[in-house]
Amino acid sequence: LEPGQPVEHSLTTADLLGVDEETLKPNRQERRLDAGYNGWWSCLIPYEVVQATGYPMPFFFQWDDAEYSYRARAHGFPTVTLPGAGVWHADFHMKDWDEWHRYFNLRNSIITAALHSPFNLNLLSRVLLAQLVRYLLGMQYGLSATLIKAVEDFLEGPEVLRDGGVEAMKEIRRIRDQYPETKRHKATDVPGIASNDIGIINSAPRPSMQRLVLIKRVLDRVLGRSRFGLGAVPIDEANWWHIALFDTAVVTDANQEGVRVRSYDKVKMFDLAKRGAKVVQRLRKEGAAVQEQYKRAMPELTSRENWKRLYKL
């Protein structure tokens, strides 16, 4: 399952008040389209759907809307995107992925895939390992630990959802607090670095031969080689192939309210790489059995009684 894939025949990133630059016709989505899911902030759900489908999974947040939409479809209720409907929502590009809530995004997406996809464990393992390598090359050690914890907790089975996410939220914040690059600083007050020493170093375009570049960056990291000692990087250029060239990179936060300081740490990199490889190997071996646990537990987890218990109603 991959979010953000446009439905066939749909408009995407279109100005609904403007015109198409090629056809010069108004950008109007007048054709009915069925979506895989809609976000909660863009949904109207009739009571009859809840009666037949049950309540959402107690995910706390992230992927609960996607899971519910797929489950509703299985009960005969497709998700329809209404033409011309609009909703105000904070721009996603202003949200930094390197935050504690990324844990819920990762863990809940794996659970949703286990419930509503073929759950190809070989493919899932490759995707997770590719993400981990990119995070490590980007000196995002806290984010790497976040991914590892998400997979570990998925493998714990449905019990991890019993409190709706209260303990998981506390624990992932505690884990991430151990990694300095997860903390935001004022751009004019970076600890240990004078602002006039931080020059902007822009990124080269996306490599045409990404696998070769990836291997080269990994070798350079293992051997402790770098091209730049210190530099500032805008968030939209903070790609793995660029950040991996630095000893220390001062990266602008997505919301433009501060910066993060990412510094190369060989010990952390190797430790997280080993832990990540180990937990992904566990996922390959145990994933199918854990998938069945979630499927068996879903009726109870999504029951009215469970939600009354969670909210003490």
Side-chain angles (χ1 to χ4, degrees):
L1 296 175
E2 186 176 356
Q5 295 299 312
V7 178
E8 187 178 3
H9 304 301
S10 67
L11 296 176
T12 176
T13 63
D15 177 7
L16 296 181
L17 299 179
V19 297
D20 184 281
E21 293 182 358
E22 294 183 2
T23 65
L24 300 181
K25 293 182 178 179
N27 285 327
R28 290 177 184 161
Q29 184 71 70
E30 296 178 338
R31 181 173 183 166
R32 171 192 153 151
L33 298 172
D34 287 350
Y37 75 97
N38 266 316
W40 290 136
W41 36 267
S42 191
C43 270
L44 294 173
I45 305 176
Y47 174 66
E48 292 81 3
V49 175
V50 181
Q51 279 186 310
T53 305
Y55 281 47
M57 287 285 281
F59 276 171
F60 178 37
F61 77 149
Q62 304 220 351
W63 280 86
D64 45 355
D65 42 16
E67 189 283 324
Y68 196 83
S69 293
Y70 281 109
R71 182 152 40 102
R73 180 180 290 275
H75 285 81
F77 303 103
T79 298
V80 178
T81 302
L82 296 179
V87 62
W88 183 91
H89 192 278
D91 290 338
F92 283 103
H93 73 268
M94 294 183 69
K95 293 184 176 183
D96 203 308
W97 268 137
D98 198 352
E99 289 285 358
W100 59 269
H101 50 68
R102 181 64 170 154
Y103 160 85
F104 288 95
N105 187 284
L106 287 162
R107 187 201 69 182
N108 296 350
S109 67
I110 300 173
I111 296 173
T112 301
L115 294 172
H116 301 291
S117 83
F119 205 50
N120 184 326
L121 289 169
N122 289 328
L123 175 59
L124 178 58
S125 297
R126 289 200 302 270
V127 169
L128 291 171
L129 284 175
Q131 285 186 340
L132 180 63
V133 170
R134 290 197 295 269
Y135 295 160
L136 292 174
L137 286 175
M139 300 187 290
Q140 293 177 291
Y141 306 120
L143 188 55
S144 301
T146 302
L147 182 150
I148 292 168
K149 178 63 174 171
V151 180
E152 288 175 341
D153 282 5
F154 166 78
L155 291 170
E156 288 296 313
E159 280 300 315
V160 77
L161 302 177
R162 290 301 172 185
D163 69 348
V166 176
E167 286 304 316
M169 181 178 66
K170 293 178 182 177
E171 180 63 9
I172 195 59
R173 292 170 77 111
R174 185 194 67 77
I175 290 172
R176 287 177 55 82
D177 198 49
Q178 302 172 42
Y179 297 92
E181 85 284 348
T182 64
K183 298 175 176 59
R184 184 190 301 159
H185 308 282
K186 292 182 179 179
T188 56
D189 188 20
V190 181
I193 304 174
S195 58
N196 59 339
D197 290 339
I198 314 172
I200 295 176
I201 301 177
N202 296 109
S203 173
R206 180 179 293 274
S208 56
M209 304 177 72
Q210 288 195 50
R211 287 190 179 181
L212 289 177
V213 173
L214 180 70
I215 293 171
K216 185 177 186 303
R217 295 289 189 272
V218 170
L219 288 174
D220 286 343
R221 275 303 184 218
V222 171
L223 297 173
R225 297 191 299 231
S226 60
R227 187 179 303 176
F228 307 110
L230 172 67
V233 180
I235 185 62
D236 58 346
E237 296 187 26
N239 306 300
W240 59 264
W241 64 83
H242 186 51
I243 298 296
L245 300 173
F246 292 80
D247 288 330
T248 298
V250 180
V251 181
T252 311
D253 237 25
N255 57 20
Q256 307 295 302
E257 293 182 357
V259 297
R260 314 274 187 105
V261 181
R262 305 187 197 175
S263 295
Y264 175 60
D265 189 317
K266 189 174 182 178
V267 174
K268 286 180 182 176
M269 183 185 74
F270 273 101
D271 176 60
L272 289 163
K274 290 176 184 177
R275 287 172 51 199
K278 186 176 179 180
V279 76
V280 170
Q281 184 60 23
R282 275 189 61 202
L283 178 65
R284 290 168 68 98
K285 291 181 178 180
E286 304 171 22
V290 177
Q291 177 188 26
E292 291 305 314
Q293 293 178 31
Y294 280 103
K295 286 185 174 181
R296 288 195 299 269
M298 185 166 64
E300 190 275 325
L301 288 170
T302 61
S303 67
R304 181 182 180 89
E305 290 71 27
N306 190 42
W307 279 83
K308 287 174 69 175
R309 178 188 65 82
L310 282 168
Y311 285 97
K312 298 179 174 58
L313 298 175

